[in-house]
Amino acid sequence: MLYVHLPEFNGSSSQGKRYANTIYYKLTSKTYKGIIIDLRNNLGGDIGPMLAGISPVVPNGKLFEVVNAANKPTSVTFQGSVTNNMGTKIDLGKVKKSQEFLLR
């Protein structure tokens, strides 16, 4: 069982890539029977590096929608390790998706 505390992230894109790589390599370094991603005390910040880090367990495609004050929705999508329409784009290259742990 792997326990990952996912703290908020606020920083530069190079710091974001280091943040994402640290989490990503822990998730992919060996096989786990289960993964717990703990978001307690995560106050937000830049969602791009956070999602890139856990990209092995995040499915590609539409994640959610954000609706602005004018009631205009924007879809936030994910491909590989890159979040589109929200957050810093962190490209970790070819991402190994853990089929048994993909969030649905």
Side-chain angles (χ1 to χ4, degrees):
M1 177 74 70
L2 174 66
Y3 170 85
V4 178
H5 172 249
L6 195 64
E8 70 273 359
F9 174 77
N10 290 297
S12 68
S13 59
S14 63
Q15 290 169 325
K17 191 158 188 171
R18 280 195 306 276
Y19 172 99
N21 272 318
T22 300
I23 298 163
Y24 176 84
Y25 287 113
K26 186 64 178 174
L27 284 174
T28 59
S29 65
K30 63 183 210 176
T31 303
Y32 301 99
K33 290 186 178 189
I35 299 170
I36 297 170
I37 299 173
D38 185 353
L39 297 171
R40 286 178 294 174
N41 301 315
N42 181 317
L43 301 175
D46 188 344
I47 197 169
M50 288 186 258
L51 287 172
I54 63 170
S55 60
V57 298
V58 178
N60 292 326
K62 182 178 173 181
L63 296 178
F64 55 88
E65 281 188 349
V66 176
V67 179
N68 69 13
N71 208 30
K72 181 180 182 256
T74 300
S75 291
V76 176
T77 62
F78 196 68
Q79 184 63 43
S81 66
V82 179
T83 306
N84 296 296
N85 297 325
M86 179 176 264
T88 301
K89 294 180 184 223
I90 304 292
D91 189 350
L92 299 178
K94 186 173 169 98
V95 172
K96 178 178 129 187
K97 297 285 184 178
S98 261
Q99 295 300 320
E100 62 196 285
F101 294 119
L102 281 176
L103 302 173
R104 300 188 197 280

